[in-house]
Amino acid sequence: MIRYIRWCGYFCALLLVALLVNIARVQVWESAAYGANPANKRPAIERYAQPRGNILVDGRPVTGSRDSGQLLRYERTYANGPLYAPVTGFSSQTYGTSFVERAEDPVLAGTDPGLSAFPLWYDLTRGRPAGGNAATTVRAGVQLAAYAGLAGKRGAVAAVEPATGKILALVSSPSYDPAALSGTGSRVKAQWARLNTDPDRPMLNRALRETYPPGSTFKIVTAAAALDAGVVTDVAAPTETPDPYPLPGTRTLLPNAGTGCQDASMAEAVQWSCNTVMAKIGVRVGLRGMVEAAERFGFNRDGLRVPSWVSRSNFDTDMSQDQLALSAIGQFNTRATPLQMAMVAAAVANGGELKSPYLVDRTTQDDGSPVRRGDQRSLGRAMDPATALRMQELMVKVVEDGTGKNASIPGAVVGGKTGTAQHGVGNAGTPYAWFISWARAEGAPLPAVAVAVVVEDAAANRGDISGNLAAAPIARAVMEAALSAR
């Protein structure tokens, strides 16, 4: 009898060991698979069981949380949602997150280890600290000026602080209200479908994700390349350029939108935006020199994050001479995001040094204790300091007595460059109106802001003057807001 009891005990022990092994298998080896199983609702329930941390502008929250009383308890709310959508993105219980909501999700959701001095304690108790906050570099007045300036027209504005890279405004128009996507159910699905089928693409962040032909605003890059390479040593010297200019190796004649460009100097070509002169200068710099200059300004750079990813701006590295001539005036395959062109203006304003743009100044715990600060870093030198000084003078002349007079601000030094970018089959599309600029208060040691504005549906004539009519007034309003905010 004792033998049978012993064997029964062995068998029970074996069952216990098998149970422990199975528990270990489920909890350790297969836990990730079970956790990722779509049928497992516990991660989602836990994620939305407490309020999400906030995104701050000027120290004030532009987001919030609402108790829905549903299984997924807390839904995201937004103050002035369309105004800040290109900054915040959305946080949806159905469709996930985007932009700062995605980039800083661990802090906002309360899962970042930096939110607690004892993160292991929360692992053991299966809890988590309150969601932290993400304080942005955006200035409310600058953002509002950009948004009001576009007034619903398709386009974008990017404004940065040249000396630091802080993004002061990031606007894409038309916009949308991220709150429409916050919850679950048929209403949210209907809003998602509507936004994604809207021909105006309101969910597209044009400031970061859309690339446009930069048109004549790219002439700033070409002029800087010519000065750095020694191709132009005297900006006031005639360039012996005919009007129109025959594109090298072709019978195609490149015209100017205005008059007075024949044999114009580079200074006059920037001031009055002469296509012929700048195309010829680009050819003289050469393909290698132009590519290197463009890349110093940030073109062809992959992996730029602010912290959301930014589309790659393009300057072709393999072109014929006629294609290079067109690329040197911002046409052919040259394409740039508005943020990239704001970086071009910022590099000029900052003495040639290009700062990496960034959008999150710091992240904090719920009580304001710091977690991480934004990383100010240099992307290198876009041009020689002497070249930057000369480019500042040329850009100031554009605003004082050139194609960019509408950007002038009393009591401030303003440099700018207009642009009209042709597009569409046979250039049949309405031109994009561009303006890039920077502003420094009189007596201030450094420029306070660099701005890029693009208006897609600018009904203006094809000359560079359309940038002055459609985009320069928006840039002026943004610069005025930035100067008054200091």
PDB file of all heavy atoms in Angstrom, residues 160-166 168 345-353 388-389 392 395-396 412-415 437-451 479 482-483 486:
ATOM      1  N   VAL A 160      11.583  79.051 -37.155  1.00  0.00           N
ATOM      2  CA  VAL A 160      12.567  78.526 -36.222  1.00  0.00           C
ATOM      3  C   VAL A 160      13.393  79.672 -35.646  1.00  0.00           C
ATOM      4  O   VAL A 160      13.491  80.752 -36.229  1.00  0.00           O
ATOM      5  CB  VAL A 160      13.509  77.495 -36.889  1.00  0.00           C
ATOM      6  CG1 VAL A 160      12.726  76.338 -37.468  1.00  0.00           C
ATOM      7  CG2 VAL A 160      14.350  78.155 -37.975  1.00  0.00           C
ATOM      8  N   GLU A 161      13.982  79.419 -34.484  1.00  0.00           N
ATOM      9  CA  GLU A 161      14.920  80.354 -33.875  1.00  0.00           C
ATOM     10  C   GLU A 161      16.315  80.005 -34.399  1.00  0.00           C
ATOM     11  O   GLU A 161      16.833  78.923 -34.092  1.00  0.00           O
ATOM     12  CB  GLU A 161      14.863  80.231 -32.352  1.00  0.00           C
ATOM     13  CG  GLU A 161      15.662  81.284 -31.616  1.00  0.00           C
ATOM     14  CD  GLU A 161      15.461  81.179 -30.118  1.00  0.00           C
ATOM     15  OE1 GLU A 161      15.948  80.185 -29.517  1.00  0.00           O
ATOM     16  OE2 GLU A 161      14.817  82.077 -29.539  1.00  0.00           O
ATOM     17  N   PRO A 162      16.941  80.884 -35.183  1.00  0.00           N
ATOM     18  CA  PRO A 162      18.187  80.500 -35.867  1.00  0.00           C
ATOM     19  C   PRO A 162      19.313  80.058 -34.945  1.00  0.00           C
ATOM     20  O   PRO A 162      20.052  79.125 -35.273  1.00  0.00           O
ATOM     21  CB  PRO A 162      18.573  81.788 -36.620  1.00  0.00           C
ATOM     22  CG  PRO A 162      17.283  82.519 -36.811  1.00  0.00           C
ATOM     23  CD  PRO A 162      16.477  82.219 -35.591  1.00  0.00           C
ATOM     24  N   ALA A 163      19.460  80.687 -33.786  1.00  0.00           N
ATOM     25  CA  ALA A 163      20.602  80.403 -32.917  1.00  0.00           C
ATOM     26  C   ALA A 163      20.481  79.088 -32.175  1.00  0.00           C
ATOM     27  O   ALA A 163      21.487  78.542 -31.712  1.00  0.00           O
ATOM     28  CB  ALA A 163      20.788  81.536 -31.914  1.00  0.00           C
ATOM     29  N   THR A 164      19.266  78.554 -32.051  1.00  0.00           N
ATOM     30  CA  THR A 164      19.067  77.335 -31.259  1.00  0.00           C
ATOM     31  C   THR A 164      18.438  76.189 -32.039  1.00  0.00           C
ATOM     32  O   THR A 164      18.628  75.023 -31.674  1.00  0.00           O
ATOM     33  CB  THR A 164      18.161  77.622 -30.042  1.00  0.00           C
ATOM     34  OG1 THR A 164      16.860  78.026 -30.511  1.00  0.00           O
ATOM     35  CG2 THR A 164      18.756  78.717 -29.173  1.00  0.00           C
ATOM     36  N   GLY A 165      17.669  76.487 -33.071  1.00  0.00           N
ATOM     37  CA  GLY A 165      16.931  75.453 -33.793  1.00  0.00           C
ATOM     38  C   GLY A 165      15.539  75.223 -33.245  1.00  0.00           C
ATOM     39  O   GLY A 165      14.805  74.364 -33.756  1.00  0.00           O
ATOM     40  N   LYS A 166      15.135  75.953 -32.213  1.00  0.00           N
ATOM     41  CA  LYS A 166      13.780  75.780 -31.674  1.00  0.00           C
ATOM     42  C   LYS A 166      12.741  76.119 -32.734  1.00  0.00           C
ATOM     43  O   LYS A 166      12.827  77.158 -33.398  1.00  0.00           O
ATOM     44  CB  LYS A 166      13.570  76.686 -30.462  1.00  0.00           C
ATOM     45  CG  LYS A 166      14.367  76.309 -29.232  1.00  0.00           C
ATOM     46  CD  LYS A 166      14.067  77.262 -28.086  1.00  0.00           C
ATOM     47  CE  LYS A 166      14.842  76.868 -26.822  1.00  0.00           C
ATOM     48  NZ  LYS A 166      14.576  77.801 -25.697  1.00  0.00           N
ATOM     49  N   LEU A 168       9.407  77.566 -33.600  1.00  0.00           N
ATOM     50  CA  LEU A 168       8.496  78.513 -32.958  1.00  0.00           C
ATOM     51  C   LEU A 168       7.071  78.400 -33.498  1.00  0.00           C
ATOM     52  O   LEU A 168       6.123  78.785 -32.818  1.00  0.00           O
ATOM     53  CB  LEU A 168       9.004  79.941 -33.144  1.00  0.00           C
ATOM     54  CG  LEU A 168      10.446  80.199 -32.677  1.00  0.00           C
ATOM     55  CD1 LEU A 168      10.820  81.653 -32.928  1.00  0.00           C
ATOM     56  CD2 LEU A 168      10.602  79.854 -31.202  1.00  0.00           C
ATOM     57  N   ALA A 345      17.037  79.821 -44.501  1.00  0.00           N
ATOM     58  CA  ALA A 345      17.020  81.196 -44.009  1.00  0.00           C
ATOM     59  C   ALA A 345      17.718  81.304 -42.652  1.00  0.00           C
ATOM     60  O   ALA A 345      18.434  82.270 -42.377  1.00  0.00           O
ATOM     61  CB  ALA A 345      15.580  81.698 -43.907  1.00  0.00           C
ATOM     62  N   ALA A 346      17.520  80.301 -41.795  1.00  0.00           N
ATOM     63  CA  ALA A 346      18.122  80.313 -40.460  1.00  0.00           C
ATOM     64  C   ALA A 346      19.638  80.224 -40.533  1.00  0.00           C
ATOM     65  O   ALA A 346      20.349  80.852 -39.737  1.00  0.00           O
ATOM     66  CB  ALA A 346      17.566  79.164 -39.625  1.00  0.00           C
ATOM     67  N   ALA A 347      20.159  79.438 -41.476  1.00  0.00           N
ATOM     68  CA  ALA A 347      21.613  79.311 -41.623  1.00  0.00           C
ATOM     69  C   ALA A 347      22.235  80.648 -42.011  1.00  0.00           C
ATOM     70  O   ALA A 347      23.304  81.023 -41.511  1.00  0.00           O
ATOM     71  CB  ALA A 347      21.949  78.236 -42.649  1.00  0.00           C
ATOM     72  N   VAL A 348      21.581  81.387 -42.911  1.00  0.00           N
ATOM     73  CA  VAL A 348      22.064  82.714 -43.269  1.00  0.00           C
ATOM     74  C   VAL A 348      22.036  83.633 -42.053  1.00  0.00           C
ATOM     75  O   VAL A 348      23.003  84.340 -41.750  1.00  0.00           O
ATOM     76  CB  VAL A 348      21.213  83.302 -44.415  1.00  0.00           C
ATOM     77  CG1 VAL A 348      21.611  84.754 -44.688  1.00  0.00           C
ATOM     78  CG2 VAL A 348      21.364  82.468 -45.675  1.00  0.00           C
ATOM     79  N   ALA A 349      20.924  83.621 -41.322  1.00  0.00           N
ATOM     80  CA  ALA A 349      20.759  84.498 -40.170  1.00  0.00           C
ATOM     81  C   ALA A 349      21.722  84.170 -39.039  1.00  0.00           C
ATOM     82  O   ALA A 349      22.098  85.056 -38.263  1.00  0.00           O
ATOM     83  CB  ALA A 349      19.317  84.410 -39.661  1.00  0.00           C
ATOM     84  N   ASN A 350      22.128  82.903 -38.944  1.00  0.00           N
ATOM     85  CA  ASN A 350      22.976  82.454 -37.835  1.00  0.00           C
ATOM     86  C   ASN A 350      24.451  82.437 -38.196  1.00  0.00           C
ATOM     87  O   ASN A 350      25.233  81.678 -37.612  1.00  0.00           O
ATOM     88  CB  ASN A 350      22.524  81.054 -37.373  1.00  0.00           C
ATOM     89  CG  ASN A 350      23.083  80.678 -36.018  1.00  0.00           C
ATOM     90  OD1 ASN A 350      23.144  81.506 -35.101  1.00  0.00           O
ATOM     91  ND2 ASN A 350      23.503  79.430 -35.861  1.00  0.00           N
ATOM     92  N   GLY A 351      24.845  83.240 -39.156  1.00  0.00           N
ATOM     93  CA  GLY A 351      26.249  83.333 -39.502  1.00  0.00           C
ATOM     94  C   GLY A 351      26.800  82.133 -40.230  1.00  0.00           C
ATOM     95  O   GLY A 351      28.011  81.914 -40.253  1.00  0.00           O
ATOM     96  N   GLY A 352      25.933  81.332 -40.821  1.00  0.00           N
ATOM     97  CA  GLY A 352      26.377  80.187 -41.604  1.00  0.00           C
ATOM     98  C   GLY A 352      26.241  78.856 -40.908  1.00  0.00           C
ATOM     99  O   GLY A 352      26.321  77.809 -41.553  1.00  0.00           O
ATOM    100  N   GLU A 353      26.055  78.852 -39.583  1.00  0.00           N
ATOM    101  CA  GLU A 353      25.915  77.588 -38.858  1.00  0.00           C
ATOM    102  C   GLU A 353      24.464  77.135 -38.881  1.00  0.00           C
ATOM    103  O   GLU A 353      23.555  77.918 -38.583  1.00  0.00           O
ATOM    104  CB  GLU A 353      26.385  77.724 -37.415  1.00  0.00           C
ATOM    105  CG  GLU A 353      26.359  76.392 -36.663  1.00  0.00           C
ATOM    106  CD  GLU A 353      26.811  76.511 -35.217  1.00  0.00           C
ATOM    107  OE1 GLU A 353      27.047  77.648 -34.760  1.00  0.00           O
ATOM    108  OE2 GLU A 353      26.913  75.467 -34.548  1.00  0.00           O
ATOM    109  N   ALA A 388      27.940  84.201 -45.212  1.00  0.00           N
ATOM    110  CA  ALA A 388      26.662  84.428 -44.539  1.00  0.00           C
ATOM    111  C   ALA A 388      26.398  85.919 -44.357  1.00  0.00           C
ATOM    112  O   ALA A 388      25.266  86.395 -44.548  1.00  0.00           O
ATOM    113  CB  ALA A 388      26.654  83.718 -43.181  1.00  0.00           C
ATOM    114  N   LEU A 389      27.430  86.670 -44.007  1.00  0.00           N
ATOM    115  CA  LEU A 389      27.273  88.118 -43.839  1.00  0.00           C
ATOM    116  C   LEU A 389      26.882  88.774 -45.157  1.00  0.00           C
ATOM    117  O   LEU A 389      25.990  89.642 -45.192  1.00  0.00           O
ATOM    118  CB  LEU A 389      28.570  88.714 -43.307  1.00  0.00           C
ATOM    119  CG  LEU A 389      28.554  90.221 -43.011  1.00  0.00           C
ATOM    120  CD1 LEU A 389      27.519  90.541 -41.942  1.00  0.00           C
ATOM    121  CD2 LEU A 389      29.941  90.696 -42.581  1.00  0.00           C
ATOM    122  N   GLN A 392      23.288  87.923 -45.940  1.00  0.00           N
ATOM    123  CA  GLN A 392      22.369  88.743 -45.153  1.00  0.00           C
ATOM    124  C   GLN A 392      22.129  90.081 -45.832  1.00  0.00           C
ATOM    125  O   GLN A 392      20.988  90.564 -45.933  1.00  0.00           O
ATOM    126  CB  GLN A 392      22.931  88.952 -43.741  1.00  0.00           C
ATOM    127  CG  GLN A 392      22.921  87.721 -42.867  1.00  0.00           C
ATOM    128  CD  GLN A 392      23.585  87.964 -41.523  1.00  0.00           C
ATOM    129  OE1 GLN A 392      23.791  89.100 -41.105  1.00  0.00           O
ATOM    130  NE2 GLN A 392      23.944  86.880 -40.836  1.00  0.00           N
ATOM    131  N   MET A 395      19.866  89.613 -48.860  1.00  0.00           N
ATOM    132  CA  MET A 395      18.469  89.353 -48.496  1.00  0.00           C
ATOM    133  C   MET A 395      17.789  90.603 -47.936  1.00  0.00           C
ATOM    134  O   MET A 395      16.585  90.811 -48.146  1.00  0.00           O
ATOM    135  CB  MET A 395      18.398  88.194 -47.496  1.00  0.00           C
ATOM    136  CG  MET A 395      18.786  86.843 -48.097  1.00  0.00           C
ATOM    137  SD  MET A 395      18.661  85.461 -46.921  1.00  0.00           S
ATOM    138  CE  MET A 395      16.874  85.254 -46.831  1.00  0.00           C
ATOM    139  N   VAL A 396      18.536  91.437 -47.224  1.00  0.00           N
ATOM    140  CA  VAL A 396      17.969  92.700 -46.730  1.00  0.00           C
ATOM    141  C   VAL A 396      17.593  93.591 -47.908  1.00  0.00           C
ATOM    142  O   VAL A 396      16.540  94.250 -47.900  1.00  0.00           O
ATOM    143  CB  VAL A 396      18.971  93.407 -45.792  1.00  0.00           C
ATOM    144  CG1 VAL A 396      18.526  94.850 -45.516  1.00  0.00           C
ATOM    145  CG2 VAL A 396      19.087  92.651 -44.479  1.00  0.00           C
ATOM    146  N   ALA A 412      12.797  96.929 -37.429  1.00  0.00           N
ATOM    147  CA  ALA A 412      13.472  95.635 -37.481  1.00  0.00           C
ATOM    148  C   ALA A 412      14.256  95.511 -38.774  1.00  0.00           C
ATOM    149  O   ALA A 412      13.908  96.121 -39.791  1.00  0.00           O
ATOM    150  CB  ALA A 412      12.465  94.487 -37.377  1.00  0.00           C
ATOM    151  N   VAL A 413      15.328  94.731 -38.731  1.00  0.00           N
ATOM    152  CA  VAL A 413      16.088  94.402 -39.929  1.00  0.00           C
ATOM    153  C   VAL A 413      15.551  93.075 -40.458  1.00  0.00           C
ATOM    154  O   VAL A 413      15.545  92.070 -39.739  1.00  0.00           O
ATOM    155  CB  VAL A 413      17.595  94.274 -39.612  1.00  0.00           C
ATOM    156  CG1 VAL A 413      18.367  93.893 -40.874  1.00  0.00           C
ATOM    157  CG2 VAL A 413      18.127  95.571 -39.024  1.00  0.00           C
ATOM    158  N   VAL A 414      15.089  93.087 -41.698  1.00  0.00           N
ATOM    159  CA  VAL A 414      14.456  91.896 -42.283  1.00  0.00           C
ATOM    160  C   VAL A 414      15.168  91.538 -43.582  1.00  0.00           C
ATOM    161  O   VAL A 414      15.397  92.398 -44.432  1.00  0.00           O
ATOM    162  CB  VAL A 414      12.957  92.133 -42.559  1.00  0.00           C
ATOM    163  CG1 VAL A 414      12.329  90.897 -43.199  1.00  0.00           C
ATOM    164  CG2 VAL A 414      12.227  92.506 -41.278  1.00  0.00           C
ATOM    165  N   GLY A 415      15.514  90.282 -43.707  1.00  0.00           N
ATOM    166  CA  GLY A 415      16.044  89.764 -44.963  1.00  0.00           C
ATOM    167  C   GLY A 415      15.098  88.730 -45.520  1.00  0.00           C
ATOM    168  O   GLY A 415      14.490  87.966 -44.758  1.00  0.00           O
ATOM    169  N   SER A 437      12.541  84.100 -44.988  1.00  0.00           N
ATOM    170  CA  SER A 437      12.997  85.358 -44.411  1.00  0.00           C
ATOM    171  C   SER A 437      13.539  85.141 -43.011  1.00  0.00           C
ATOM    172  O   SER A 437      13.407  84.062 -42.422  1.00  0.00           O
ATOM    173  CB  SER A 437      11.839  86.360 -44.356  1.00  0.00           C
ATOM    174  OG  SER A 437      10.762  85.832 -43.584  1.00  0.00           O
ATOM    175  N   TRP A 438      14.132  86.178 -42.487  1.00  0.00           N
ATOM    176  CA  TRP A 438      14.567  86.236 -41.095  1.00  0.00           C
ATOM    177  C   TRP A 438      14.419  87.679 -40.617  1.00  0.00           C
ATOM    178  O   TRP A 438      14.358  88.610 -41.434  1.00  0.00           O
ATOM    179  CB  TRP A 438      16.019  85.753 -40.933  1.00  0.00           C
ATOM    180  CG  TRP A 438      16.998  86.411 -41.857  1.00  0.00           C
ATOM    181  CD1 TRP A 438      17.408  85.954 -43.075  1.00  0.00           C
ATOM    182  CD2 TRP A 438      17.667  87.673 -41.659  1.00  0.00           C
ATOM    183  NE1 TRP A 438      18.289  86.840 -43.655  1.00  0.00           N
ATOM    184  CE2 TRP A 438      18.479  87.895 -42.804  1.00  0.00           C
ATOM    185  CE3 TRP A 438      17.675  88.609 -40.635  1.00  0.00           C
ATOM    186  CZ2 TRP A 438      19.255  89.043 -42.940  1.00  0.00           C
ATOM    187  CZ3 TRP A 438      18.460  89.742 -40.767  1.00  0.00           C
ATOM    188  CH2 TRP A 438      19.242  89.934 -41.900  1.00  0.00           C
ATOM    189  N   ALA A 439      14.335  87.845 -39.306  1.00  0.00           N
ATOM    190  CA  ALA A 439      14.137  89.188 -38.758  1.00  0.00           C
ATOM    191  C   ALA A 439      14.944  89.360 -37.483  1.00  0.00           C
ATOM    192  O   ALA A 439      15.030  88.447 -36.660  1.00  0.00           O
ATOM    193  CB  ALA A 439      12.661  89.439 -38.481  1.00  0.00           C
ATOM    194  N   ARG A 440      15.504  90.551 -37.336  1.00  0.00           N
ATOM    195  CA  ARG A 440      16.252  90.923 -36.128  1.00  0.00           C
ATOM    196  C   ARG A 440      15.787  92.290 -35.676  1.00  0.00           C
ATOM    197  O   ARG A 440      15.746  93.237 -36.466  1.00  0.00           O
ATOM    198  CB  ARG A 440      17.751  90.934 -36.429  1.00  0.00           C
ATOM    199  CG  ARG A 440      18.623  91.472 -35.295  1.00  0.00           C
ATOM    200  CD  ARG A 440      20.101  91.313 -35.605  1.00  0.00           C
ATOM    201  NE  ARG A 440      20.507  91.951 -36.844  1.00  0.00           N
ATOM    202  CZ  ARG A 440      20.803  93.254 -36.960  1.00  0.00           C
ATOM    203  NH1 ARG A 440      20.700  94.053 -35.912  1.00  0.00           N
ATOM    204  NH2 ARG A 440      21.186  93.743 -38.128  1.00  0.00           N
ATOM    205  N   ALA A 441      15.426  92.407 -34.404  1.00  0.00           N
ATOM    206  CA  ALA A 441      15.046  93.703 -33.870  1.00  0.00           C
ATOM    207  C   ALA A 441      16.252  94.628 -33.895  1.00  0.00           C
ATOM    208  O   ALA A 441      17.389  94.202 -33.660  1.00  0.00           O
ATOM    209  CB  ALA A 441      14.515  93.552 -32.444  1.00  0.00           C
ATOM    210  N   GLU A 442      16.025  95.900 -34.196  1.00  0.00           N
ATOM    211  CA  GLU A 442      17.124  96.859 -34.227  1.00  0.00           C
ATOM    212  C   GLU A 442      17.798  96.918 -32.857  1.00  0.00           C
ATOM    213  O   GLU A 442      17.136  97.052 -31.826  1.00  0.00           O
ATOM    214  CB  GLU A 442      16.613  98.243 -34.632  1.00  0.00           C
ATOM    215  CG  GLU A 442      16.301  98.359 -36.111  1.00  0.00           C
ATOM    216  CD  GLU A 442      15.957  99.780 -36.516  1.00  0.00           C
ATOM    217  OE1 GLU A 442      15.858 100.642 -35.621  1.00  0.00           O
ATOM    218  OE2 GLU A 442      15.762 100.017 -37.719  1.00  0.00           O
ATOM    219  N   GLY A 443      19.114  96.795 -32.859  1.00  0.00           N
ATOM    220  CA  GLY A 443      19.856  96.805 -31.610  1.00  0.00           C
ATOM    221  C   GLY A 443      20.063  95.438 -31.012  1.00  0.00           C
ATOM    222  O   GLY A 443      20.880  95.278 -30.101  1.00  0.00           O
ATOM    223  N   ALA A 444      19.313  94.428 -31.494  1.00  0.00           N
ATOM    224  CA  ALA A 444      19.472  93.066 -30.974  1.00  0.00           C
ATOM    225  C   ALA A 444      20.706  92.426 -31.600  1.00  0.00           C
ATOM    226  O   ALA A 444      21.024  92.674 -32.768  1.00  0.00           O
ATOM    227  CB  ALA A 444      18.235  92.224 -31.275  1.00  0.00           C
ATOM    228  N   PRO A 445      21.412  91.579 -30.830  1.00  0.00           N
ATOM    229  CA  PRO A 445      22.625  90.971 -31.379  1.00  0.00           C
ATOM    230  C   PRO A 445      22.370  89.883 -32.412  1.00  0.00           C
ATOM    231  O   PRO A 445      23.203  89.651 -33.296  1.00  0.00           O
ATOM    232  CB  PRO A 445      23.318  90.394 -30.138  1.00  0.00           C
ATOM    233  CG  PRO A 445      22.197  90.136 -29.177  1.00  0.00           C
ATOM    234  CD  PRO A 445      21.196  91.229 -29.424  1.00  0.00           C
ATOM    235  N   LEU A 446      21.237  89.196 -32.301  1.00  0.00           N
ATOM    236  CA  LEU A 446      20.971  88.055 -33.172  1.00  0.00           C
ATOM    237  C   LEU A 446      19.558  88.128 -33.736  1.00  0.00           C
ATOM    238  O   LEU A 446      18.639  88.638 -33.072  1.00  0.00           O
ATOM    239  CB  LEU A 446      21.129  86.737 -32.398  1.00  0.00           C
ATOM    240  CG  LEU A 446      22.519  86.423 -31.840  1.00  0.00           C
ATOM    241  CD1 LEU A 446      22.436  85.213 -30.917  1.00  0.00           C
ATOM    242  CD2 LEU A 446      23.506  86.176 -32.966  1.00  0.00           C
ATOM    243  N   PRO A 447      19.335  87.576 -34.932  1.00  0.00           N
ATOM    244  CA  PRO A 447      17.966  87.447 -35.445  1.00  0.00           C
ATOM    245  C   PRO A 447      17.119  86.556 -34.537  1.00  0.00           C
ATOM    246  O   PRO A 447      17.608  85.571 -33.982  1.00  0.00           O
ATOM    247  CB  PRO A 447      18.156  86.810 -36.815  1.00  0.00           C
ATOM    248  CG  PRO A 447      19.553  87.173 -37.214  1.00  0.00           C
ATOM    249  CD  PRO A 447      20.333  87.160 -35.935  1.00  0.00           C
ATOM    250  N   ALA A 448      15.868  86.933 -34.386  1.00  0.00           N
ATOM    251  CA  ALA A 448      14.977  86.199 -33.486  1.00  0.00           C
ATOM    252  C   ALA A 448      14.268  85.041 -34.164  1.00  0.00           C
ATOM    253  O   ALA A 448      13.867  84.083 -33.495  1.00  0.00           O
ATOM    254  CB  ALA A 448      13.921  87.157 -32.909  1.00  0.00           C
ATOM    255  N   VAL A 449      14.116  85.113 -35.477  1.00  0.00           N
ATOM    256  CA  VAL A 449      13.275  84.120 -36.145  1.00  0.00           C
ATOM    257  C   VAL A 449      13.663  84.009 -37.616  1.00  0.00           C
ATOM    258  O   VAL A 449      14.107  84.986 -38.226  1.00  0.00           O
ATOM    259  CB  VAL A 449      11.783  84.499 -36.006  1.00  0.00           C
ATOM    260  CG1 VAL A 449      11.487  85.831 -36.693  1.00  0.00           C
ATOM    261  CG2 VAL A 449      10.863  83.412 -36.532  1.00  0.00           C
ATOM    262  N   ALA A 450      13.525  82.807 -38.150  1.00  0.00           N
ATOM    263  CA  ALA A 450      13.626  82.556 -39.590  1.00  0.00           C
ATOM    264  C   ALA A 450      12.356  81.840 -40.009  1.00  0.00           C
ATOM    265  O   ALA A 450      11.870  80.945 -39.292  1.00  0.00           O
ATOM    266  CB  ALA A 450      14.851  81.718 -39.921  1.00  0.00           C
ATOM    267  N   VAL A 451      11.809  82.209 -41.145  1.00  0.00           N
ATOM    268  CA  VAL A 451      10.476  81.752 -41.545  1.00  0.00           C
ATOM    269  C   VAL A 451      10.494  81.253 -42.991  1.00  0.00           C
ATOM    270  O   VAL A 451      11.223  81.788 -43.830  1.00  0.00           O
ATOM    271  CB  VAL A 451       9.449  82.902 -41.421  1.00  0.00           C
ATOM    272  CG1 VAL A 451       8.045  82.424 -41.801  1.00  0.00           C
ATOM    273  CG2 VAL A 451       9.442  83.484 -40.016  1.00  0.00           C
ATOM    274  N   MET A 479       6.892  87.008 -38.304  1.00  0.00           N
ATOM    275  CA  MET A 479       8.093  87.640 -37.753  1.00  0.00           C
ATOM    276  C   MET A 479       7.728  88.696 -36.714  1.00  0.00           C
ATOM    277  O   MET A 479       8.393  88.807 -35.675  1.00  0.00           O
ATOM    278  CB  MET A 479       8.909  88.252 -38.895  1.00  0.00           C
ATOM    279  CG  MET A 479       9.570  87.213 -39.804  1.00  0.00           C
ATOM    280  SD  MET A 479      10.678  87.930 -41.059  1.00  0.00           S
ATOM    281  CE  MET A 479       9.509  88.749 -42.142  1.00  0.00           C
ATOM    282  N   ALA A 482       6.951  86.928 -33.525  1.00  0.00           N
ATOM    283  CA  ALA A 482       8.150  86.411 -32.887  1.00  0.00           C
ATOM    284  C   ALA A 482       8.961  87.519 -32.220  1.00  0.00           C
ATOM    285  O   ALA A 482       9.499  87.347 -31.121  1.00  0.00           O
ATOM    286  CB  ALA A 482       9.016  85.669 -33.908  1.00  0.00           C
ATOM    287  N   LEU A 483       9.043  88.681 -32.884  1.00  0.00           N
ATOM    288  CA  LEU A 483       9.795  89.800 -32.310  1.00  0.00           C
ATOM    289  C   LEU A 483       9.111  90.335 -31.067  1.00  0.00           C
ATOM    290  O   LEU A 483       9.771  90.705 -30.081  1.00  0.00           O
ATOM    291  CB  LEU A 483       9.943  90.917 -33.350  1.00  0.00           C
ATOM    292  CG  LEU A 483      10.866  90.596 -34.533  1.00  0.00           C
ATOM    293  CD1 LEU A 483      10.746  91.676 -35.606  1.00  0.00           C
ATOM    294  CD2 LEU A 483      12.306  90.457 -34.085  1.00  0.00           C
ATOM    295  N   ARG A 486       9.602  88.245 -27.677  1.00  0.00           N
ATOM    296  CA  ARG A 486      10.892  88.173 -27.004  1.00  0.00           C
ATOM    297  C   ARG A 486      10.947  89.142 -25.821  1.00  0.00           C
ATOM    298  O   ARG A 486      10.363  90.193 -25.842  1.00  0.00           O
ATOM    299  CB  ARG A 486      12.028  88.492 -27.985  1.00  0.00           C
ATOM    300  CG  ARG A 486      12.189  87.407 -29.024  1.00  0.00           C
ATOM    301  CD  ARG A 486      13.297  87.733 -29.994  1.00  0.00           C
ATOM    302  NE  ARG A 486      14.623  87.637 -29.383  1.00  0.00           N
ATOM    303  CZ  ARG A 486      15.307  86.502 -29.260  1.00  0.00           C
ATOM    304  NH1 ARG A 486      14.789  85.379 -29.681  1.00  0.00           N
ATOM    305  NH2 ARG A 486      16.493  86.489 -28.710  1.00  0.00           N
TER     306      ARG A 486
END
